[in-house]
Amino acid sequence: MPDRRQLEAGLQRQLDALGADAPAGWKVGLTSGAARDSMGEGFRPFGHIRADRVFDSGARIPLAGMRTPGIENELCFRLGRALEGEVSRSQVLDAVASVAPAFELIERRLPSSAGQDEHIADNLAQWGIVVGKERQFDWERFPFSGLSVTLHRDGEAVQQVAADGHIDDHFASIAALAVQLAAFGRRIEAGARIITGSFTKQAVAGPCRYEGDFDAGEIQGLGRVAMEYT
């Protein structure tokens, strides 16, 4: 079992590298699939999103200089008010202003021999995000567990993942993030974008176009996000 103190030291090193800069938002790690609890039961490390690495749907991102890139479909929540410390699920629901289909752009910068604390300190391989159209819903009523996400590469479906049983409750993940940040004297600021875990996950071999469809079957889905690696 990983040493929690060592993992938390990795979080501190990540924040030390960030310094006083205000990030555009945060990622919540280890919330889905086989990665859940891989660093200890209930441990959800965070990464930060650089303000200059937030792109609109349709963005063209150069691969030059990017080491071992990857792409993941995620939901991107934007907060209308700040959250700090122990917060209830209802407080999180009240704080969320919008949700959008998104990509997390990954850059695996470390060797396979790197320790888990090193991966945390290296910002959990976060490189940037691509964000689709923001939507507003009745968060209590929207069936997030009914989402099915399909990733297309150059027009061909390459992966489809259903949310049910795959990913943590998004609002619980945001609440966990608020607790983790408070332990380091930080909070989730109003306007922050939060990505809450991966649905699809693919390595990127070269230039191509990706589209991610967030559909909820017979009810209204969340739409599509698209980007191109060049």
Side-chain angles (χ1 to χ4, degrees), residues 29-33 36 44 163 166-173 196:
L30 311 185
T31 64
S32 63
R36 271 202 197 101
R44 301 292 182 260
H166 174 76
I167 194 164
D168 289 351
D169 176 87
H170 303 287
F171 305 102
S173 294
T196 51

Side-chain angles (χ1 to χ4, degrees), residues 55-131:
F55 305 93
D56 291 331
S57 183
R60 302 176 78 244
I61 309 295
L63 286 167
M66 193 178 292
R67 290 164 285 180
T68 318
I71 191 165
E72 300 177 358
N73 271 125
E74 310 216 3
L75 289 179
C76 182
F77 294 86
R78 184 173 56 80
L79 296 193
R81 66 184 71 171
L83 290 173
E84 185 172 9
E86 292 278 355
V87 293
S88 67
R89 190 174 187 276
S90 63
Q91 286 175 303
V92 176
L93 290 169
D94 288 342
V96 170
S98 68
V99 63
F103 286 123
E104 180 181 15
L105 308 183
I106 296 294
E107 183 186 28
R108 303 198 183 281
R109 297 172 285 264
L110 299 181
S112 59
S113 59
Q116 292 176 320
D117 61 315
E118 294 176 278
H119 285 284
I120 291 174
D122 191 50
N123 204 23
L124 294 175
Q126 219 298 303
W127 189 89
I129 60 174
V130 177
V131 184

Side-chain angles (χ1 to χ4, degrees), residues 5-29 39 43-50 104 109-110 116-127 177 180-181 184 186:
R5 290 171 299 180
Q6 188 175 13
L7 299 179
E8 290 173 347
L11 290 171
Q12 184 62 66
R13 295 202 301 276
Q14 180 195 143
L15 291 175
D16 289 344
L18 175 62
D21 293 341
W26 306 89
K27 67 177 284 184
V28 190
M39 294 187 187
F43 182 64
R44 301 292 182 260
F46 56 76
H48 62 272
I49 300 167
R50 285 175 43 171
E104 180 181 15
R109 297 172 285 264
L110 299 181
Q116 292 176 320
D117 61 315
E118 294 176 278
H119 285 284
I120 291 174
D122 191 50
N123 204 23
L124 294 175
Q126 219 298 303
W127 189 89
L177 173 64
Q180 282 276 35
L181 287 173
F184 295 92
R186 297 222 180 198

Side-chain angles (χ1 to χ4, degrees), residues 111-228:
S112 59
S113 59
Q116 292 176 320
D117 61 315
E118 294 176 278
H119 285 284
I120 291 174
D122 191 50
N123 204 23
L124 294 175
Q126 219 298 303
W127 189 89
I129 60 174
V130 177
V131 184
K133 181 180 179 180
E134 294 187 8
R135 312 288 287 275
Q136 290 81 36
F137 292 101
D138 179 342
W139 309 119
E140 286 280 19
R141 295 180 180 275
F142 186 83
F144 286 99
S145 63
L147 283 172
S148 178
V149 181
T150 305
L151 178 66
H152 300 264
R153 182 177 60 231
D154 291 334
E156 178 182 356
V158 292
Q159 191 175 1
Q160 184 175 50
V161 177
D164 191 27
H166 174 76
I167 194 164
D168 289 351
D169 176 87
H170 303 287
F171 305 102
S173 294
I174 294 171
L177 173 64
V179 170
Q180 282 276 35
L181 287 173
F184 295 92
R186 297 222 180 198
R187 68 177 187 172
I188 311 175
E189 300 291 349
R193 299 177 188 266
I194 313 297
I195 52 175
T196 51
S198 62
F199 291 85
T200 67
K201 186 189 298 282
Q202 294 282 312
V204 175
C208 53
R209 177 177 174 80
Y210 285 100
E211 296 171 329
D213 287 321
F214 288 71
D215 179 56
E218 295 179 359
I219 58 92
Q220 184 181 22
L222 292 176
R224 170 175 286 197
V225 60
M227 61 86 60
E228 184 177 355

